[in-house]
Amino acid sequence: MSSENGSAAPTAPPPSANGTNGHHRKYEEVQSVTIRFAGDSGDGMQLAGTQFTNTSALAGNDIATFPDFPAEIRAPAGTLAGVSGFQVHFAAADIHTPGDALDALVVMNAAALKTNLRDLQPGGILVVNSEGFETSDLNKAKYKVNPLEDGSLKGFKVIRVPVTKMTREAVAECKLSPREADRCKNFFALGLVYWMYERSLETTLKWIREKFAKNPQYVEANTRALKAGYNYGDTVEVMPVQYKVAKAKIQPGTYRKITGNEAIVLGLVAATQLAKKPLVYASYPITPASSVLEGLAELRRYGVKTFQAEDEIAAAGVAIGASYGGAVGITGTSGPGVCLKSEAIGLAVMTELPLVIVNVQRGGPSTGLPTKTEQADLLQAMFGRNGECPAAILAPQSPGDCFDLAFEAVRIATRFMCPVFLLSDGYLANGSEPWKIPTVAGLPAISVTHPTGPNSDGWTGPGHETGAEGEGGGAGKFLPYKRDEYLARPWAVPGTPGLEHRIGGIEKQDVTGNINYEPGNHEHMTRTRAQKIENIALTVPDLPVTGDADADLLVAGWGGTYGSITTAVERCRKRGLKVAQVHFRYLNPMPKNTAAVLKRYKKLLVPELNGGQLSWLLRAKYLAPAEGLNKIQGRPFLVSEIEAAIEGHMDEAPAL
């Protein structure tokens, strides 16, 4: 998307001061709108939300989205457990979250109303498919009386539309079965919402033509349904107001809509391309990380090899083997899969081979909440292996930032010869935002070198002390654990003449790599591996602080909480509250100025979607006065929740 692009003219009749039936139309310009499409998992709400997002992005709005999926693959139709939703926040200004309270809610049945109504603000617009409230629908949703009839919705602007009936009428000439006709009703609802917010139909019409090119009757049916919904809004006196959201002022450039998982795919490929290394991604399918495997599988022309393993253990082993062979080995999963990979990750620590572990976090423990978001794997990434087994940990803060930190994970893994965790989460993975496409020239350099012989690159030397097995180094012998200034060892590609050396999970002798059981050597190697991870901090940016320099309260977060925290801090500062903010993208090691930053503030508030894991680390390592704001509901923070917590800390007496 180009920031200069304007909105294409609607294919359906454009709105005017008067609708086509002569009713007077009012226009109200608003800065932002938050809308949610909700219905049964087979109602196409994800598709409707995605199309609305794409159209709003091309219209020049800033956007942020939050898809919400049912966990069960085949949840019974019409039940509370089967509700699927897609939330879109679009605005004329810079935004960081998919919104708090909804301005508009579109529901296709009674279950969707019951599970989503609590998020619609008083006076908000409620578009209801009135045919989704039959007796059977009410029973499945556990309604004793019809909410459309009992007055319980009087606090909202209710628009009752017979969506199913009108969709069937619109597609009557397309020779579809009743079931096929009903599958078009999401486009009828989408067309109505396009009219409400003065959106163009052209982007969606083009998508329909391309998607169903081999089925002309589907092209015709979905096109008719979309236009019928649009015309319904224009001709029926149910919605006397249309809303306008102006284009956002954003930095010029070429943009596209991107989800977190899409950004991870592109970041990994960009990094390995610049490093001139093949990428091997080995994974076992798991929600919400599976689309990373799917996305990389489509990019084989860039030297990407993907492998769907039979289990998580095999996937990690394949990735380590790929790195041993000179490729960049990457494995992806969610929290339950990290548990199974833990021994193999320890092998990567001991052998000191590059490995990137993509963990798209979800609710836990065990199977937990597969389609919901959580940030509960930080301590698992930090400590979830036997022995002293350090690994680097990065956490992107937005969907677009997933590109930058996936790129950074490859840089660190190959430069420091170590495993690197990339802790994304379900909220970032499935959410989307406009992303300015970077230029290749603007990307950081990644340089990977391999020793070419026993006396190359400064990685060899004279004989070493005799190892536990009585093997000396010998003059000119390759020394696989001789280290550089950051304590990284050389990355020797198998088959290179003269670079034969031992590899494996048993403790190595310093420098030579021979098997060694000596107590002093084990402690030395353990501390060396830990210091190597700490040395990463010498190559990463300092922790940036935003907000009031004279604040007493610092709000610290990590991962996908960034948008909610940033918006809450901005709102509080606009009201005159003194507050500052930091956000950790580097979690192990933390930036080298972290201690100095934390010491400047009397209070530290740490919002997390877990029981308090970053709070625990900050208290343990820096003795920081961290107080947690913790939420473990499978849903991201509302801005209002963090704003209220900040206000509460302002009202308290200063901490001693």
Side-chain angles (χ1 to χ4, degrees):
M1 162 183 110
S2 172
S3 62
E4 289 82 17
N5 284 350
S7 174
T11 301
S16 58
N18 293 283
T20 55
N21 65 350
H23 294 301
H24 182 69
R25 302 297 187 190
K26 294 181 180 178
Y27 290 95
E28 182 177 335
E29 188 158 335
V30 293
Q31 280 293 104
S32 68
V33 172
T34 301
I35 184 170
R36 183 183 299 166
F37 299 86
D40 194 71
S41 57
D43 284 339
M45 296 295 95
Q46 302 299 323
L47 176 57
T50 299
Q51 288 299 313
F52 191 88
T53 301
N54 294 343
T55 295
S56 296
L58 288 171
N61 299 133
D62 195 9
I63 55 168
T65 70
F66 178 51
D68 192 20
F69 309 92
E72 291 80 4
I73 296 175
R74 293 289 184 183
T79 63
L80 299 175
V83 174
S84 176
F86 195 106
Q87 183 167 317
V88 185
H89 184 194
F90 59 106
D94 187 30
I95 56 175
H96 306 292
T97 77
D100 276 14
L102 303 175
D103 298 296
L105 172 63
V106 180
V107 296
M108 304 303 284
N109 59 23
L113 177 67
K114 190 164 192 177
T115 56
N116 290 278
L117 185 62
R118 64 178 179 271
D119 297 327
L120 182 61
Q121 65 179 339
I125 299 169
L126 177 60
V127 179
V128 179
N129 175 20
S130 57
E131 294 170 292
F133 288 77
E134 303 296 334
T135 301
S136 61
D137 300 309
L138 297 173
N139 290 337
K140 291 176 184 177
K142 300 181 181 179
Y143 274 118
K144 294 182 179 179
V145 295
N146 190 337
L148 301 183
E149 308 294 344
D150 66 358
S152 60
L153 302 178
K154 62 183 180 181
F156 308 103
K157 300 174 183 176
V158 181
I159 303 173
R160 298 176 57 169
V161 185
V163 174
T164 305
K165 175 185 175 183
M166 300 200 70
T167 301
R168 290 178 178 177
E169 291 177 352
V171 304
E173 298 178 5
C174 297
K175 299 180 181 179
L176 302 181
S177 68
R179 183 173 183 177
E180 288 175 325
D182 288 349
R183 293 182 67 180
C184 299
K185 62 186 180 184
N186 60 332
F187 281 108
F188 183 95
L190 180 61
L192 174 58
V193 176
Y194 278 164
W195 182 86
M196 288 167 53
Y197 294 104
E198 202 179 13
R199 309 278 95 176
S200 167
L201 302 183
E202 187 51 45
T203 300
T204 301
L205 290 172
K206 179 181 177 183
W207 181 89
I208 290 171
R209 291 192 296 270
E210 294 174 352
K211 177 68 174 178
F212 302 107
K214 296 181 180 180
N215 301 99
Q217 73 274 29
Y218 293 166
V219 173
E220 182 66 19
N222 287 314
T223 298
R224 288 182 175 225
L226 183 70
K227 291 183 177 180
Y230 189 99
N231 291 330
Y232 182 85
D234 192 41
T235 57
V236 178
E237 194 176 9
V238 295
M239 191 65 202
V241 177
Q242 276 186 293
Y243 296 93
K244 291 184 177 181
V245 179
K247 293 173 62 174
K249 295 180 180 179
I250 59 177
Q251 184 180 4
T254 301
Y255 287 75
R256 58 160 287 181
K257 184 200 73 172
I258 200 164
T259 67
N261 278 1
E262 290 170 341
I264 287 174
V265 168
L266 296 178
L268 295 176
V269 174
T272 52
Q273 285 286 294
L274 288 183
K276 296 181 173 58
K277 302 299 295 179
L279 186 163
V280 176
Y281 186 83
S283 178
Y284 181 79
I286 184 170
T287 300
S290 297
S291 59
V292 176
L293 173 61
E294 296 162 359
L296 286 169
E298 297 177 356
L299 299 177
R300 58 182 66 89
R301 64 187 181 278
Y302 294 105
V304 175
K305 293 180 172 60
T306 52
F307 176 71
Q308 181 173 317
E310 67 268 25
D311 56 43
E312 298 281 7
I313 300 171
V318 167
I320 293 171
S323 287
Y324 174 63
V328 178
I330 304 172
T331 187
T333 188
S334 192
V338 174
C339 296
L340 295 168
K341 297 179 191 290
S342 61
E343 183 181 6
I345 296 170
L347 177 63
V349 171
M350 179 63 82
T351 57
E352 300 188 51
L353 287 167
L355 175 68
V356 176
I357 307 107
V358 178
N359 179 359
V360 186
Q361 301 166 95
R362 71 189 204 187
S366 188
T367 306
L369 305 173
T371 60
K372 310 302 178 184
T373 195
E374 204 162 276
Q375 290 182 293
D377 295 349
L378 174 55
L379 296 185
Q380 179 190 44
M382 192 82 179
F383 303 118
R385 296 164 297 283
N386 65 296
E388 296 286 339
C389 196
I393 306 173
L394 310 179
Q397 64 189 26
S398 68
D401 193 42
C402 288
F403 175 91
D404 294 327
L405 286 197
F407 191 101
E408 178 74 338
V410 173
R411 182 195 72 83
I412 291 174
T414 55
R415 178 62 186 87
F416 288 85
M417 297 292 287
C418 67
V420 180
F421 279 93
L422 182 64
L423 291 184
S424 180
D425 57 57
Y427 169 67
L428 295 180
N430 298 314
S432 63
E433 65 179 359
W435 177 62
K436 185 180 179 182
I437 301 173
T439 63
V440 174
L443 294 174
I446 297 184
S447 177
V448 175
T449 58
H450 301 285
T452 57
N455 292 300
S456 68
D457 304 319
W459 293 109
T460 60
H464 196 265
E465 294 297 323
T466 302
E469 296 183 347
E471 298 183 11
K477 183 179 179 67
F478 176 57
L479 302 176
Y481 285 84
K482 187 176 182 181
R483 302 175 184 277
D484 67 5
E485 70 274 20
Y486 291 121
L487 302 181
R489 79 173 187 88
W491 189 2
V493 177
T496 306
L499 301 189
E500 296 83 0
H501 63 282
R502 290 184 179 275
I503 197 81
I506 298 178
E507 184 62 276
K508 308 296 183 294
Q509 185 184 43
D510 189 21
V511 183
T512 70
N514 295 331
I515 293 175
N516 190 288
Y517 289 89
E518 295 173 359
N521 178 78
H522 175 55
E523 179 162 345
H524 170 74
M525 293 294 280
T526 298
R527 294 188 183 281
T528 298
R529 289 187 289 263
Q531 185 59 50
K532 180 180 70 170
I533 297 299
E534 290 300 316
N535 288 345
I536 294 171
L538 301 175
T539 70
V540 305
D542 281 350
L543 183 65
V545 184
T546 59
D548 296 294
D550 57 345
D552 288 336
L553 176 65
L554 177 68
V555 184
W558 67 279
T561 59
Y562 173 79
S564 299
I565 293 174
T566 300
T567 305
V569 169
E570 289 175 351
R571 289 181 183 178
C572 287
R573 293 185 65 223
K574 285 179 180 178
R575 301 203 327 266
L577 299 179
K578 298 287 188 180
V579 59
Q581 176 191 358
V582 294
H583 205 80
F584 288 89
R585 298 163 72 237
Y586 297 87
L587 289 156
N588 193 42
M590 293 181 182
K592 56 185 178 295
N593 68 326
T594 299
V597 168
L598 297 180
K599 287 179 181 178
R600 300 209 302 260
Y601 300 91
K602 295 178 181 178
K603 296 182 180 182
L604 178 60
L605 176 65
V606 186
E608 298 180 78
L609 299 177
N610 58 44
Q613 298 187 17
L614 179 59
S615 298
W616 189 92
L617 288 174
L618 295 178
R619 287 194 295 264
K621 187 169 184 178
Y622 300 105
L623 302 180
E627 296 185 29
L629 172 62
N630 304 111
K631 180 176 180 179
I632 318 173
Q633 300 176 13
R635 297 166 63 92
F637 277 111
L638 300 177
V639 175
S640 56
E641 293 171 332
I642 299 176
E643 193 174 3
I646 293 173
E647 292 171 350
H649 279 73
M650 293 296 183
D651 293 337
E652 296 174 2
L656 299 177

PDB file of all heavy atoms in Angstrom, residues 191-209:
ATOM      1  N   GLY A 191     -21.045  -5.772   3.133  1.00  0.00           N
ATOM      2  CA  GLY A 191     -21.499  -4.679   2.281  1.00  0.00           C
ATOM      3  C   GLY A 191     -22.226  -3.602   3.067  1.00  0.00           C
ATOM      4  O   GLY A 191     -22.039  -2.399   2.830  1.00  0.00           O
ATOM      5  N   LEU A 192     -23.067  -4.014   4.025  1.00  0.00           N
ATOM      6  CA  LEU A 192     -23.774  -3.050   4.864  1.00  0.00           C
ATOM      7  C   LEU A 192     -22.795  -2.205   5.671  1.00  0.00           C
ATOM      8  O   LEU A 192     -22.939  -0.975   5.767  1.00  0.00           O
ATOM      9  CB  LEU A 192     -24.734  -3.787   5.789  1.00  0.00           C
ATOM     10  CG  LEU A 192     -25.457  -2.937   6.853  1.00  0.00           C
ATOM     11  CD1 LEU A 192     -26.258  -1.819   6.197  1.00  0.00           C
ATOM     12  CD2 LEU A 192     -26.360  -3.812   7.715  1.00  0.00           C
ATOM     13  N   VAL A 193     -21.785  -2.853   6.238  1.00  0.00           N
ATOM     14  CA  VAL A 193     -20.797  -2.115   7.039  1.00  0.00           C
ATOM     15  C   VAL A 193     -19.950  -1.201   6.153  1.00  0.00           C
ATOM     16  O   VAL A 193     -19.588  -0.096   6.565  1.00  0.00           O
ATOM     17  CB  VAL A 193     -19.919  -3.106   7.833  1.00  0.00           C
ATOM     18  CG1 VAL A 193     -18.833  -2.364   8.601  1.00  0.00           C
ATOM     19  CG2 VAL A 193     -20.775  -3.917   8.800  1.00  0.00           C
ATOM     20  N   TYR A 194     -19.651  -1.643   4.938  1.00  0.00           N
ATOM     21  CA  TYR A 194     -18.958  -0.753   4.004  1.00  0.00           C
ATOM     22  C   TYR A 194     -19.765   0.526   3.785  1.00  0.00           C
ATOM     23  O   TYR A 194     -19.203   1.628   3.713  1.00  0.00           O
ATOM     24  CB  TYR A 194     -18.746  -1.455   2.662  1.00  0.00           C
ATOM     25  CG  TYR A 194     -17.542  -2.372   2.605  1.00  0.00           C
ATOM     26  CD1 TYR A 194     -17.421  -3.314   1.589  1.00  0.00           C
ATOM     27  CD2 TYR A 194     -16.511  -2.293   3.529  1.00  0.00           C
ATOM     28  CE1 TYR A 194     -16.315  -4.155   1.505  1.00  0.00           C
ATOM     29  CE2 TYR A 194     -15.411  -3.120   3.464  1.00  0.00           C
ATOM     30  CZ  TYR A 194     -15.320  -4.055   2.453  1.00  0.00           C
ATOM     31  OH  TYR A 194     -14.222  -4.870   2.375  1.00  0.00           O
ATOM     32  N   TRP A 195     -21.081   0.385   3.656  1.00  0.00           N
ATOM     33  CA  TRP A 195     -21.904   1.575   3.474  1.00  0.00           C
ATOM     34  C   TRP A 195     -21.872   2.459   4.721  1.00  0.00           C
ATOM     35  O   TRP A 195     -21.747   3.688   4.620  1.00  0.00           O
ATOM     36  CB  TRP A 195     -23.352   1.183   3.163  1.00  0.00           C
ATOM     37  CG  TRP A 195     -24.192   2.407   2.928  1.00  0.00           C
ATOM     38  CD1 TRP A 195     -24.357   3.083   1.768  1.00  0.00           C
ATOM     39  CD2 TRP A 195     -24.924   3.130   3.927  1.00  0.00           C
ATOM     40  NE1 TRP A 195     -25.157   4.187   1.964  1.00  0.00           N
ATOM     41  CE2 TRP A 195     -25.523   4.244   3.288  1.00  0.00           C
ATOM     42  CE3 TRP A 195     -25.146   2.945   5.289  1.00  0.00           C
ATOM     43  CZ2 TRP A 195     -26.310   5.159   3.963  1.00  0.00           C
ATOM     44  CZ3 TRP A 195     -25.941   3.867   5.974  1.00  0.00           C
ATOM     45  CH2 TRP A 195     -26.516   4.959   5.306  1.00  0.00           C
ATOM     46  N   MET A 196     -21.959   1.841   5.898  1.00  0.00           N
ATOM     47  CA  MET A 196     -21.983   2.604   7.145  1.00  0.00           C
ATOM     48  C   MET A 196     -20.754   3.490   7.294  1.00  0.00           C
ATOM     49  O   MET A 196     -20.837   4.611   7.804  1.00  0.00           O
ATOM     50  CB  MET A 196     -22.078   1.646   8.343  1.00  0.00           C
ATOM     51  CG  MET A 196     -23.429   0.978   8.505  1.00  0.00           C
ATOM     52  SD  MET A 196     -23.371  -0.410   9.694  1.00  0.00           S
ATOM     53  CE  MET A 196     -22.642   0.371  11.128  1.00  0.00           C
ATOM     54  N   TYR A 197     -19.599   2.990   6.831  1.00  0.00           N
ATOM     55  CA  TYR A 197     -18.349   3.714   7.041  1.00  0.00           C
ATOM     56  C   TYR A 197     -17.737   4.216   5.732  1.00  0.00           C
ATOM     57  O   TYR A 197     -16.554   4.542   5.694  1.00  0.00           O
ATOM     58  CB  TYR A 197     -17.362   2.834   7.813  1.00  0.00           C
ATOM     59  CG  TYR A 197     -17.862   2.561   9.209  1.00  0.00           C
ATOM     60  CD1 TYR A 197     -18.412   1.329   9.532  1.00  0.00           C
ATOM     61  CD2 TYR A 197     -17.844   3.550  10.182  1.00  0.00           C
ATOM     62  CE1 TYR A 197     -18.912   1.078  10.799  1.00  0.00           C
ATOM     63  CE2 TYR A 197     -18.339   3.313  11.455  1.00  0.00           C
ATOM     64  CZ  TYR A 197     -18.874   2.080  11.756  1.00  0.00           C
ATOM     65  OH  TYR A 197     -19.375   1.841  13.010  1.00  0.00           O
ATOM     66  N   GLU A 198     -18.567   4.285   4.693  1.00  0.00           N
ATOM     67  CA  GLU A 198     -18.166   4.889   3.432  1.00  0.00           C
ATOM     68  C   GLU A 198     -16.877   4.261   2.897  1.00  0.00           C
ATOM     69  O   GLU A 198     -15.909   4.934   2.575  1.00  0.00           O
ATOM     70  CB  GLU A 198     -17.985   6.411   3.593  1.00  0.00           C
ATOM     71  CG  GLU A 198     -18.097   7.145   2.265  1.00  0.00           C
ATOM     72  CD  GLU A 198     -17.954   8.654   2.406  1.00  0.00           C
ATOM     73  OE1 GLU A 198     -17.521   9.124   3.474  1.00  0.00           O
ATOM     74  OE2 GLU A 198     -18.302   9.352   1.439  1.00  0.00           O
ATOM     75  N   ARG A 199     -16.899   2.946   2.809  1.00  0.00           N
ATOM     76  CA  ARG A 199     -15.763   2.189   2.291  1.00  0.00           C
ATOM     77  C   ARG A 199     -16.008   1.798   0.836  1.00  0.00           C
ATOM     78  O   ARG A 199     -17.146   1.556   0.429  1.00  0.00           O
ATOM     79  CB  ARG A 199     -15.535   0.908   3.082  1.00  0.00           C
ATOM     80  CG  ARG A 199     -15.458   1.032   4.595  1.00  0.00           C
ATOM     81  CD  ARG A 199     -14.080   1.475   5.059  1.00  0.00           C
ATOM     82  NE  ARG A 199     -13.995   2.906   5.251  1.00  0.00           N
ATOM     83  CZ  ARG A 199     -12.913   3.513   5.733  1.00  0.00           C
ATOM     84  NH1 ARG A 199     -11.841   2.804   6.048  1.00  0.00           N
ATOM     85  NH2 ARG A 199     -12.899   4.813   5.889  1.00  0.00           N
ATOM     86  N   SER A 200     -14.949   1.666   0.079  1.00  0.00           N
ATOM     87  CA  SER A 200     -15.047   1.209  -1.302  1.00  0.00           C
ATOM     88  C   SER A 200     -15.275  -0.302  -1.358  1.00  0.00           C
ATOM     89  O   SER A 200     -14.765  -1.054  -0.522  1.00  0.00           O
ATOM     90  CB  SER A 200     -13.749   1.547  -2.042  1.00  0.00           C
ATOM     91  OG  SER A 200     -13.682   0.867  -3.271  1.00  0.00           O
ATOM     92  N   LEU A 201     -16.028  -0.742  -2.348  1.00  0.00           N
ATOM     93  CA  LEU A 201     -16.240  -2.169  -2.565  1.00  0.00           C
ATOM     94  C   LEU A 201     -15.168  -2.791  -3.461  1.00  0.00           C
ATOM     95  O   LEU A 201     -15.059  -4.024  -3.527  1.00  0.00           O
ATOM     96  CB  LEU A 201     -17.604  -2.412  -3.224  1.00  0.00           C
ATOM     97  CG  LEU A 201     -18.858  -1.904  -2.518  1.00  0.00           C
ATOM     98  CD1 LEU A 201     -20.095  -2.320  -3.304  1.00  0.00           C
ATOM     99  CD2 LEU A 201     -18.934  -2.429  -1.099  1.00  0.00           C
ATOM    100  N   GLU A 202     -14.400  -1.986  -4.155  1.00  0.00           N
ATOM    101  CA  GLU A 202     -13.578  -2.495  -5.253  1.00  0.00           C
ATOM    102  C   GLU A 202     -12.538  -3.523  -4.802  1.00  0.00           C
ATOM    103  O   GLU A 202     -12.309  -4.520  -5.482  1.00  0.00           O
ATOM    104  CB  GLU A 202     -12.876  -1.333  -5.956  1.00  0.00           C
ATOM    105  CG  GLU A 202     -12.140  -1.751  -7.222  1.00  0.00           C
ATOM    106  CD  GLU A 202     -13.011  -2.546  -8.177  1.00  0.00           C
ATOM    107  OE1 GLU A 202     -14.174  -2.143  -8.403  1.00  0.00           O
ATOM    108  OE2 GLU A 202     -12.532  -3.583  -8.678  1.00  0.00           O
ATOM    109  N   THR A 203     -11.898  -3.292  -3.665  1.00  0.00           N
ATOM    110  CA  THR A 203     -10.872  -4.233  -3.203  1.00  0.00           C
ATOM    111  C   THR A 203     -11.456  -5.620  -2.984  1.00  0.00           C
ATOM    112  O   THR A 203     -10.879  -6.637  -3.382  1.00  0.00           O
ATOM    113  CB  THR A 203     -10.231  -3.729  -1.900  1.00  0.00           C
ATOM    114  OG1 THR A 203      -9.628  -2.450  -2.139  1.00  0.00           O
ATOM    115  CG2 THR A 203      -9.173  -4.695  -1.404  1.00  0.00           C
ATOM    116  N   THR A 204     -12.632  -5.671  -2.360  1.00  0.00           N
ATOM    117  CA  THR A 204     -13.264  -6.960  -2.099  1.00  0.00           C
ATOM    118  C   THR A 204     -13.805  -7.588  -3.376  1.00  0.00           C
ATOM    119  O   THR A 204     -13.726  -8.806  -3.564  1.00  0.00           O
ATOM    120  CB  THR A 204     -14.385  -6.793  -1.059  1.00  0.00           C
ATOM    121  OG1 THR A 204     -13.816  -6.271   0.148  1.00  0.00           O
ATOM    122  CG2 THR A 204     -15.051  -8.130  -0.751  1.00  0.00           C
ATOM    123  N   LEU A 205     -14.354  -6.776  -4.265  1.00  0.00           N
ATOM    124  CA  LEU A 205     -14.836  -7.320  -5.538  1.00  0.00           C
ATOM    125  C   LEU A 205     -13.696  -7.937  -6.342  1.00  0.00           C
ATOM    126  O   LEU A 205     -13.852  -9.004  -6.956  1.00  0.00           O
ATOM    127  CB  LEU A 205     -15.516  -6.220  -6.345  1.00  0.00           C
ATOM    128  CG  LEU A 205     -16.855  -5.716  -5.797  1.00  0.00           C
ATOM    129  CD1 LEU A 205     -17.332  -4.504  -6.578  1.00  0.00           C
ATOM    130  CD2 LEU A 205     -17.907  -6.819  -5.821  1.00  0.00           C
ATOM    131  N   LYS A 206     -12.546  -7.297  -6.316  1.00  0.00           N
ATOM    132  CA  LYS A 206     -11.387  -7.854  -7.010  1.00  0.00           C
ATOM    133  C   LYS A 206     -10.966  -9.165  -6.373  1.00  0.00           C
ATOM    134  O   LYS A 206     -10.648 -10.145  -7.063  1.00  0.00           O
ATOM    135  CB  LYS A 206     -10.236  -6.848  -6.969  1.00  0.00           C
ATOM    136  CG  LYS A 206      -8.972  -7.349  -7.651  1.00  0.00           C
ATOM    137  CD  LYS A 206      -7.845  -6.316  -7.546  1.00  0.00           C
ATOM    138  CE  LYS A 206      -6.570  -6.859  -8.178  1.00  0.00           C
ATOM    139  NZ  LYS A 206      -5.431  -5.899  -8.020  1.00  0.00           N
ATOM    140  N   TRP A 207     -10.972  -9.220  -5.040  1.00  0.00           N
ATOM    141  CA  TRP A 207     -10.604 -10.459  -4.340  1.00  0.00           C
ATOM    142  C   TRP A 207     -11.569 -11.590  -4.710  1.00  0.00           C
ATOM    143  O   TRP A 207     -11.142 -12.719  -4.934  1.00  0.00           O
ATOM    144  CB  TRP A 207     -10.616 -10.217  -2.829  1.00  0.00           C
ATOM    145  CG  TRP A 207     -10.220 -11.422  -2.036  1.00  0.00           C
ATOM    146  CD1 TRP A 207      -8.966 -11.770  -1.653  1.00  0.00           C
ATOM    147  CD2 TRP A 207     -11.099 -12.445  -1.539  1.00  0.00           C
ATOM    148  NE1 TRP A 207      -8.996 -12.948  -0.946  1.00  0.00           N
ATOM    149  CE2 TRP A 207     -10.284 -13.387  -0.859  1.00  0.00           C
ATOM    150  CE3 TRP A 207     -12.471 -12.653  -1.586  1.00  0.00           C
ATOM    151  CZ2 TRP A 207     -10.815 -14.516  -0.243  1.00  0.00           C
ATOM    152  CZ3 TRP A 207     -12.996 -13.784  -0.983  1.00  0.00           C
ATOM    153  CH2 TRP A 207     -12.195 -14.702  -0.318  1.00  0.00           C
ATOM    154  N   ILE A 208     -12.855 -11.275  -4.768  1.00  0.00           N
ATOM    155  CA  ILE A 208     -13.855 -12.297  -5.130  1.00  0.00           C
ATOM    156  C   ILE A 208     -13.582 -12.840  -6.527  1.00  0.00           C
ATOM    157  O   ILE A 208     -13.617 -14.053  -6.756  1.00  0.00           O
ATOM    158  CB  ILE A 208     -15.279 -11.698  -5.041  1.00  0.00           C
ATOM    159  CG1 ILE A 208     -15.661 -11.429  -3.578  1.00  0.00           C
ATOM    160  CG2 ILE A 208     -16.299 -12.631  -5.682  1.00  0.00           C
ATOM    161  CD1 ILE A 208     -16.950 -10.646  -3.418  1.00  0.00           C
ATOM    162  N   ARG A 209     -13.296 -11.937  -7.461  1.00  0.00           N
ATOM    163  CA  ARG A 209     -13.034 -12.386  -8.837  1.00  0.00           C
ATOM    164  C   ARG A 209     -11.812 -13.295  -8.912  1.00  0.00           C
ATOM    165  O   ARG A 209     -11.814 -14.299  -9.631  1.00  0.00           O
ATOM    166  CB  ARG A 209     -12.835 -11.170  -9.755  1.00  0.00           C
ATOM    167  CG  ARG A 209     -14.087 -10.345  -9.992  1.00  0.00           C
ATOM    168  CD  ARG A 209     -13.890  -9.354 -11.128  1.00  0.00           C
ATOM    169  NE  ARG A 209     -12.865  -8.360 -10.844  1.00  0.00           N
ATOM    170  CZ  ARG A 209     -13.099  -7.185 -10.261  1.00  0.00           C
ATOM    171  NH1 ARG A 209     -14.330  -6.867  -9.891  1.00  0.00           N
ATOM    172  NH2 ARG A 209     -12.122  -6.327 -10.057  1.00  0.00           N
TER     173      ARG A 209
END
